[in-house]
């Protein structure tokens, strides 16, 4: 199985990018993982919130195949602790799917079309974090999930 993190907009903070890349390198020992960035919408200031979500939504869906499982990182999604999240990962791996895509939307969330296509929603917290920080939190939790599955000492129980 492949896992892809798809995010709208780049991160300009070099230190944050370094931390994200550190976990991406670590993940390579466990799973095929890729991180794809959809460029920010040009002239977004001139678009309404719904127009921006619609344009971002089309770009997101262009990266998703019919056979992919799409999970939206969404504030209204289901919350797991790290152990339960690792079990969810294991279930996906056991299901025989080829690609699992986790997606971070733009500043206003996702379009109705993306919500319709999604297989599920995942929330990392009830708190609000920047879209750039969520990238780091997610790749760290993904890494943690795989260390839990392998019974490695990274996660303390």
């Amino acid at each position: 199985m492949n896992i892809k993190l798809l995010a709208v907009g780049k991160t300009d903070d070099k230190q944050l990018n370094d931390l994200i890349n550190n976990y991406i390198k670590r993940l390579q020992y466990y799973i095929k993982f890729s991180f794809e960035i959809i460029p920010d919408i040009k002239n977004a200031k001139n678009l309404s919130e719904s127009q921006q979500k619609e344009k971002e939504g089309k770009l997101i869906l262009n990266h998703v195949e019919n056979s992919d499982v799409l999970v939206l990182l969404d504030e209204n999604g289901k919350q797991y602790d790290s152990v339960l999240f690792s079990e969810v990962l294991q279930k996906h791996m056991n299901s025989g799917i080829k690609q699992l895509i986790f997606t971070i939307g733009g500043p206003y969330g996702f379009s109705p079309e993306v919500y319709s296509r999604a297989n599920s929603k995942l929330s990392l917290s009830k708190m609000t974090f920047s879209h750039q920080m969520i990238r780091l939190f997610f790749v760290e939790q993904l890494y943690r999930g795989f260390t839990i599955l392998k019974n490695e000492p990274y996660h303390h129980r």
Side-chain angles (χ1 to χ4, degrees), residues 39-89:
D40 287 312
I41 301 294
K42 292 184 190 317
N43 299 318
K45 292 180 252 178
N46 300 328
L47 300 174
S48 70
E49 190 176 308
S50 62
Q51 289 172 320
Q52 192 170 335
K53 287 194 298 189
E54 182 183 328
K55 285 185 178 257
E56 290 169 351
K58 286 179 182 172
L59 294 172
I60 288 168
L61 294 175
N62 286 341
H63 287 80
V64 179
E65 300 294 326
N66 288 337
S67 60
D68 294 339
V69 172
L70 180 63
V71 179
L72 306 182
L73 296 179
D74 185 89
E75 63 188 2
N76 297 311
K78 187 161 181 160
Q79 291 187 358
Y80 300 100
D81 65 23
S82 296
V83 173
L84 282 174
F85 180 60
S86 72
E87 293 171 7
V88 169
L89 291 172

Side-chain angles (χ1 to χ4, degrees), residues 6-23:
L6 188 57
V8 174
K10 64 181 181 178
T11 301
D12 292 328
D13 188 315
K14 182 185 177 333
Q15 292 174 316
L16 192 54
N17 273 325
D18 289 346
L19 290 167
I20 292 167
N21 288 328
N22 178 12
Y23 283 103

Side-chain angles (χ1 to χ4, degrees), residues 2-11 17 20-21 24 27-28 32-40 56 58-65 68 70 73 99-106 110 131 135 138-139 142:
N2 297 320
I3 295 179
K4 179 179 6 179
L5 176 60
L6 188 57
V8 174
K10 64 181 181 178
T11 301
N17 273 325
I20 292 167
N21 288 328
I24 290 172
L27 280 167
Q28 303 303 324
K32 285 186 177 180
F33 178 80
S34 62
F35 178 34
E36 293 183 28
I37 296 174
I38 295 172
D40 287 312
E56 290 169 351
K58 286 179 182 172
L59 294 172
I60 288 168
L61 294 175
N62 286 341
H63 287 80
V64 179
E65 300 294 326
D68 294 339
L70 180 63
L73 296 179
Q99 183 157 251
L100 176 60
I101 301 176
F102 292 93
T103 305
I104 302 168
F110 299 102
H131 289 258
R135 297 164 196 214
F138 177 76
V139 293
L142 193 58

Side-chain angles (χ1 to χ4, degrees), residues 83-137:
V83 173
L84 282 174
F85 180 60
S86 72
E87 293 171 7
V88 169
L89 291 172
Q90 186 66 63
K91 285 179 186 172
H92 282 299
M93 289 187 293
N94 293 346
S95 73
I97 62 170
K98 289 183 181 176
Q99 183 157 251
L100 176 60
I101 301 176
F102 292 93
T103 305
I104 302 168
Y108 302 114
F110 299 102
S111 68
E113 294 80 16
V114 173
Y115 279 116
S116 294
R117 170 58 183 85
N119 298 89
S120 64
K121 297 183 291 187
L122 170 68
S123 172
L124 296 182
S125 174
K126 290 188 183 291
M127 294 179 157
T128 302
F129 299 106
S130 74
H131 289 258
Q132 287 74 28
M133 293 298 294
I134 287 297
R135 297 164 196 214
L136 174 60
F137 297 157

